[in-house]
Structure formats: C-alpha cells, structure tokens
Amino acid sequence: MQNNNHAQKAFSIHKITKSKSFSAFTSALLAIFLGLVIGFIVMIIANPAKAFTGFQTVLFGGFSRLGNVFYFATPILMTGLAVGFAFKMGLFNIGASGQYTMGMFFALYVGFMWDLPDGIHWIACIIAGMIGGMMWGFIPGVFKALLNVNEVITSIMFNYIGMYLVDMMIQGNATMYVASTTRTAYLPTSAQIPSLGVRNSSVNVSIYIAIFIAIVLFIILNKTTFGYELKATGYNKHASKYAGMNGTRNIILTMVIAGGLAGLGGAFAILAPATIQGSSMTYEPINIIAANGFNGIAVALLGNSSPIGIIFSAVFISHIQRGGSLTSLYGYKPEIIDIVIAIIIYFSAFSMLMKSAASSFLRKNRKHVQSEDVDPRINSEGPALKTGVDLPDKEDMDDDVYITDVTDTSVPENHEIKNHGSGSEEDELMKHKGQDIKDSNPAEKEEV
Amino acid sequence: MDILYYLIQNMLPVAVALLLVALGGMFSERSGVINIALEGIMLFGAFIGCVFVFFIEKTPLKSQPQMILLLGMVVAALAGLLYSMLLSLAAINMKADQTIVGTALNMLVPAGVLLFSKMFFFSDGVTTNTNFYIRKIPLLGDIPVLGKLFFQNTYLTIYVGALLLVIATILFYKTSFGLHLRACGEHPHAADSVGINVYHMRYAGVGLSGILGGTGGFFYAVGIMNGNANGHTGVAGFGFLALAVMIFGQWKPLKILLAALFFAFLRTLAYSVALIPFLRALNINQTYYKMLPYVATMVVLAFTSKKSRAPKAEGIPYDKGMR
C-alpha cells in the first residue's frame, strides 16, 4: 500500500520497501521460493534422474494449458476470498471446504431438478450455490458469535458433516447420480456456464464474475463502514466493541459472506462446460473433503488477504497445479504440488519474520545515521535492528512514518498505540493489515 | 448382551486412539501451544509405523506380531516427535501463527503420503499383512463378564494406552515437570521469572504431543484400519475429533478419558447399526450415524464452551520482552 499522504514526495526506494503491500509481496515471494525449493528437493528424493525436467514442468508447464489455468483458478480464487475475507475480521475460516461442497450441491440440485429457460438457468444455479455456501457459513458464525465456540473447530466439523450429507444426498438421488459410473450425471446444457470458447479447456465466464466479485470486495473492505468495522474488529475486538460496533452481527455477517463466496466457488467449479460436446463436469461422492477449500487458505495467505492480491495468487497456485499434473509424464504425481502448497502456507505463517528479513535485506546497503533524536525505544527493542535493519537517510523521509515502520517490523502487538499520529485512521488500519493473522490470536485464544 | 460386549470390544481400540491424541493435545495446549496439527501428526505416525511394519514383517520377526506392534509403536512415536518439531520451530522460535502452521502441517502429510505411496507402493498407501488381533488372552479372558469385555477380541493397543494414560497423568500432576509445563500455559512470564525456561517447556509440551499423536495414529492404523494407512482417507478427522475430546475433557487427563470413551462409543454405534436390531428397524441412512460424532462434537461444544477454561496463554507466542 503506497502511502497516499506522501505521494508528492519523490519516488524513492524507501517508499517502496516500507510500504505494507511491498513487504507482503516480498514475503509471499520468499514463501513461494522456499516452497518451490523444498518441492524440488522432494522431487530429487523421489526420482533424482528426472527431477530437473520435472521441476521445469512444474514451473512452466502451465503456460501450455492457459485456459485450464484460469478454469482451475476460479474456484480457488473464490475459496481464497472466502478465507481472506474472514481473516480480515480475525476469523480463520478453515471451513471453506464444507461451504464449497454445499454450494456445489445446491448448484447441482437446481441444475438437475429445476426446469428453467436457457439464459436464466445457470444464473439460478450460481445463486443457489451461493445460498448453499451461506448456510454452511452461517452456522459456524452463529456458534462463534453467540456461543463463543472457536470457529476453527466448528468449521472443521462442518466440513465433515457437509461432505457426508452431500455425498448421501447425491447418491440417494436417481436423477443426479449414475450408479454405474459412481459419478453425477451430465448437467443439462442450460445449467452450464457459457464457455469462453478456448479450445481444450473448460474456462468460462465465471472467471470474470470471480474477478468482479474480488473487486467488489476490495471496495467493500476499503470504502464502506462495514468494511472498516470488519477490519477494526479484526485488530482488536474489545476496542471495536467499546467503540460501539456490533461484534455479534459482524461475525455472523462475515461468516455468511465468506460462506457465500466459497459456495460460489463450488458452483463455478461444477457448472463449467466440459471440453467434450454434450458432457459436463461431474462429481464423485467418495467421502473426501474438497481440497479446493484448503487450497483457498494458501491463496489467501499468499495474497495477504487482500482481494486484489488473491486474484494473482489464485492464478499462480492454479498455474503450478497445472504444471504439477503434467509432471506425471515424468513419473511424478500431482501431489507434489500439494506439498509445495503446504510448505508455502507453512512459511507464510512466518510472515512477520519474513517481512523484516526481506526489508532488512533490501536496506542492507543503504547508508544510515544513528541520529540522537531517533526515539530511544527503537534501540531498546527490535530484533530487526540487531539483524541489520539499518536506519536510512533521515532527510529522505518522514520521521513518524519511519518509526511506524520499524516498530511494525519488529514488535507486533503492544506498541501499536504509539504509532498513531501518522496518516488517517484508515491508513493506520491499512498499515497493519499484514498483521491481521497475528492480531487475531488474542481473540482466538479464549475458547480453544 | 452379546451386542453390548461387541460394542465395547470394538469401542476400546477407537477410544484409545482418541485418548492418546487428545492427551497429546493437552500437553501441547497446557504448555501454551495450540496444536491443530494433530491430524497430520497422527497420519505421519500411522504411515511411518505401517511402513516399518511392512518391511519388518518380511524378516523372521513376523512370527511375533505383538512384538512388531510394540516396535512399530516406538517408530511411530519417534516419527510423531520429529514431525511435531516443525510445529515447535515455527510456533516457539519463529513466533508464527500456530493455527496456520498447524493447517500447513496437516496438508503436508497426506500429500507426502500419497506421493510416496503412489511412486513406491503403487497405491494410495501402505498395506500390511501382520495380524495384530488378539482373540483371547489366556487366563484373563476366562474371567466372567470382565474377561469378555476387556480381554477378548481385542488389541494390545488398549493396554499400552491405559499404561500411557497412567504415566501421563502422573507426569502431569505429580512431577515438577508437569507443574512447570502447566505454568507456562497459564502465565509464561511468571514462570520465566522463577527460572523456568518457557521455550524448553513448550518444546517439551509439543514434543510430548508429537509422541502421543504419532502413537495414537499408529494405534488408529492398527485397531481401526487393520494395519493399513493411506493418504486419501487419512485418519478421517480423528486428529480434529481428538481436539474436541480435549476441549470436552476440559484439558484434564481423566475427563479426557471419559470424553474419549463417549466419542468412541458414538462412532462404534455408527458403524454397527446393521448389527443392532433396534436401530436397524428404524431404517435410517447409515450416513447419518457417520455424521453423529461430528454433530455430537458441535452440541457438546455449544454447551461447554461458555464455561470452558482454556489455558490462558495458549496460542500466544512467548516473547521475553513483552510484559
């Protein structure tokens, strides 16, 4: 996030390196880099002879399947938004899988059982999917808001309940389920989302809808009162309650919206037209939790929970997934990408550390002044200083902002109050957005 | 009456897996680290233990299945310990978000298991042939009622589990180690001020959860999956159920035992509907029974969470500089 208040100042490296979105970006890159390196090591262990070719396929294979990269990016973009949106509120929506499955079922149900005219049918299916997901987000929301049950446990339980329920209902429905293939039947064409016409790919209009929704969410988060309250509650739920925000309502609303987003993901995934004329995507009820929900966590973390960042991270994850499935040409299995994704999540959780490491690396060679009027507390705290975050030129920048930055990278929680004084409140909130996850801890610990 | 015997005989191997993993979660959380990764630790222990059994059952040792079980248990415990170190490293040294790290670790194991099983065993997991089942223990199995309940149609796992429960309870309540551990989960700064190394205690707590989680995972593979482990079904959410058991058990060993028995009973019931005339007559889809443990978790949590007392410092990375 560029600091608008200082836009009139000349372009400088400090401006960029100290901005939140830049450090989020570098730490995401670092996580991706480590994930890929470890993925490469796993490939070497699994089969040294073909590791290099296999790894090249992971990196670049997706380019030969661009249409499908975007098709598979659509559902994880939606589940990523579902997770990221709840993160903003300090909620960890691990239940995106269940919401996704529910959305998929509702979309399938309307697709098979309702007879609607051509132009309307697929839209009705999508809306049904959204409603299905909302229902499955609503319950953990109510449990969290009214009964103070940790949303992580609730939504995990609802992943299983939803999965069993959907599989049972599909298997019990003769119209949807074809027992001989153990999969769902082909959807009527009117229920399929219009294709974009890319050859050999299922990419369809839903990718545009998904990107549009991401932009709408960005606006909601940054330009509306609801978005502001949401983020404020994410930073400090006690303070926001004190300020008169309705925490109970906001928690339920956030979970409902997040559930709706994941449900849309399920609908987009299943309503896509298949590459062969007359067929469509099918679902196989074999009691397995939908992986797309968990991939959404990776997408959200990589995108720093920002809707715009999530668009790019979804495309990236989808890209390496396509590459990963192509590695089967060399005897590897697509699961290699799940390993890479898990490791990316693992390192994303270090975001604080990664951010300070990244910025200290970038600032290493800048000359610095240890001026007297630098606040003494900078010296008294901050592993960042010890690990070599050098002080940049003083005249280059605004004092206040600089102090904010150092405290940001080194001391996460208790010192926020000292940072007020630069920028508007809105800016302040944005500066801390990278810490959402961290800050959500105190809120969570009361129940688990 | 035979049905009751059958239910209890089948319930105990399930309960022991839940119990051990929940005890592991207890050690970790009472030391101040949220351990969502239990699911992954369980599967890792189960898989490594089964791989060990897979190789050792080809040696002359194969005539002694119970010996193999004990050795496999040790291997699984070590695997769990090693894997849990990834959590400690991130949560204690790197001060990372514990829930997210746990989620990552949960995702890593099934992917790794699938990758390696598909490449080396050409299936989704590892299948072993050793029969760990005990039809009847001599002498003890002849005791009326009790013999039938606890010493027939069973696995060695339940006795090891009972022993581990006793050891864990003593360690938790009767040693200074247990006291220090609990202090670190309640008020780490106070613990630090009297000379307890909070980092070490948390490493110990997470390490114990790794040992118990790995063991519990292996016991799951032995007692429920018949000596197999695969990456697709994994441990079917048992790691998460164990967390619910732990919360239901209020982070206390003996209450955890009761909670584990309760959940295990529900699960066994779900899988034995066809054998119980009363439930069979109701003619409800079996899937509803499969959902029962998860639904029960929700109901139980809804009623207990208001007054539940989680360890105070749980989930907060310890920082010496912050008071």
Side-chain angles (χ1 to χ4, degrees), chain A residues 147 154 160 335 346 438 448, chain B residues 86 118 237 298 305 310 314:
Chain A
L147 300 167
T154 329
Y160 285 95
E335 279 79 15
Y346 183 75
K438 183 126 193 137
V448 163
Chain B
L86 285 176
K118 280 183 178 175
M298 296 315 311
S305 64
E314 170 188 271

Side-chain angles (χ1 to χ4, degrees), chain A residues 42 45-47 87 92 94 143 145-150 152-158 160-162 164-165 168 171 286-288 291 294-295 297-298 301 330-336 338-343 345-353 410-415 437-438 440-442 444-448, chain B residues 29 34 36 39 85-87 89-91 93-101 103-105 107-108 110-112 114-116 118-120 232-233 236-238 240-241 243-244 246-247 251 271 285-288 290-291 293-295 297-299 301-302 305-306 308-317 319 322-323:
Chain A
V42 171
I45 296 169
N47 184 355
F87 263 150
F92 187 28
I94 201 171
F143 268 80
L146 301 180
L147 300 167
N148 199 29
V149 183
N150 187 291
V152 175
I153 300 280
T154 329
S155 41
I156 287 170
M157 294 299 139
F158 273 91
Y160 285 95
I161 298 172
Y164 279 124
L165 206 60
M168 180 183 72
Q171 281 169 338
I286 42 171
N287 291 4
I288 287 178
F294 287 98
N295 291 339
I297 299 171
L301 285 172
Y330 307 102
Y332 293 99
K333 302 294 165 195
E335 279 79 15
I336 185 80
D338 296 335
I339 293 179
V340 173
I341 291 174
I343 291 167
I345 299 184
Y346 183 75
F347 285 111
S348 301
F350 296 3
S351 53
M352 291 311 298
L353 196 91
S410 57
V411 181
E413 276 151 356
N414 287 352
H415 298 264
I437 297 157
K438 183 126 193 137
S440 71
N441 270 339
E444 267 177 20
K445 64 129 190 169
E446 281 162 32
E447 317 91 28
V448 163
Chain B
E29 303 223 340
I34 293 180
I36 285 261
E39 177 95 355
M85 285 299 128
L86 285 176
L87 174 67
L89 188 73
N93 294 60
M94 305 295 196
K95 302 189 175 26
D97 185 281
Q98 298 168 0
T99 318
I100 294 170
V101 169
T103 308
L105 293 178
M107 291 172 71
L108 187 58
L114 282 174
L115 180 76
F116 280 91
K118 280 183 178 175
M119 292 186 76
F120 298 115
H232 261 311
T233 48
F238 260 56
F240 298 124
L241 276 181
L243 279 179
M246 177 195 72
I247 296 172
W251 295 264
Y271 282 81
N285 192 320
Q286 207 203 349
T287 313
Y288 285 114
K290 286 189 185 170
M291 281 184 250
Y294 309 104
V295 177
T297 307
M298 296 315 311
V299 174
L301 288 183
S305 64
K306 280 275 182 191
S308 83
R309 260 273 299 118
K312 227 175 184 173
E314 170 188 271
I316 308 166
D319 190 334
M322 275 193 227
R323 299 264 158 169

Side-chain angles (χ1 to χ4, degrees), chain A residues 263-436:
Chain A
L264 281 172
F268 290 161
I270 198 73
L271 296 172
T275 45
I276 304 159
Q277 195 64 36
S279 65
S280 78
M281 291 294 154
T282 54
Y283 168 74
E284 189 177 17
I286 42 171
N287 291 4
I288 287 178
I289 302 272
N292 275 345
F294 287 98
N295 291 339
I297 299 171
V299 168
L301 285 172
L302 273 187
N304 195 29
S305 301
S306 139
I308 305 298
I310 286 172
I311 299 175
F312 293 102
S313 61
V315 174
F316 171 75
I317 295 275
S318 177
H319 173 80
I320 59 168
Q321 275 179 334
R322 288 309 94 208
S325 62
L326 286 174
T327 55
S328 55
L329 293 174
Y330 307 102
Y332 293 99
K333 302 294 165 195
E335 279 79 15
I336 185 80
I337 296 308
D338 296 335
I339 293 179
V340 173
I341 291 174
I343 291 167
I344 290 175
I345 299 184
Y346 183 75
F347 285 111
S348 301
F350 296 3
S351 53
M352 291 311 298
L353 196 91
M354 306 269 269
K355 276 173 199 164
S356 61
S359 39
S360 79
F361 174 76
L362 282 161
R363 290 181 190 159
K364 218 164 203 166
N365 299 324
R366 312 293 299 181
K367 58 174 182 166
H368 62 276
V369 253
Q370 285 282 8
S371 76
E372 301 253 307
D373 55 357
V374 170
D375 194 314
R377 88 181 117 84
I378 294 175
N379 291 325
S380 66
E381 68 196 21
L385 277 180
K386 281 176 217 149
T387 54
V389 171
D390 289 346
L391 302 178
D393 280 355
K394 196 168 176 301
E395 62 272 21
D396 218 346
M397 58 193 313
D398 184 307
D399 249 347
D400 265 346
V401 176
Y402 174 60
I403 288 165
T404 306
D405 189 39
V406 169
T407 42
D408 260 356
T409 48
S410 57
V411 181
E413 276 151 356
N414 287 352
H415 298 264
E416 273 164 36
I417 193 126
K418 293 175 189 164
N419 297 336
H420 288 289
S422 70
S424 66
E425 270 179 306
E426 184 83 29
D427 266 352
E428 206 55 50
L429 273 176
M430 289 313 291
K431 272 180 202 146
H432 292 281
K433 74 175 173 180
Q435 296 172 6
D436 282 9

Side-chain angles (χ1 to χ4, degrees), chain B residues 30 168-175 178 182 251-254:
Chain B
R30 291 299 287 261
T169 313
I170 293 172
L171 186 67
F172 199 60
Y173 283 124
K174 301 290 177 195
T175 63
R182 284 179 281 148
W251 295 264
K252 294 187 178 84
L254 295 175

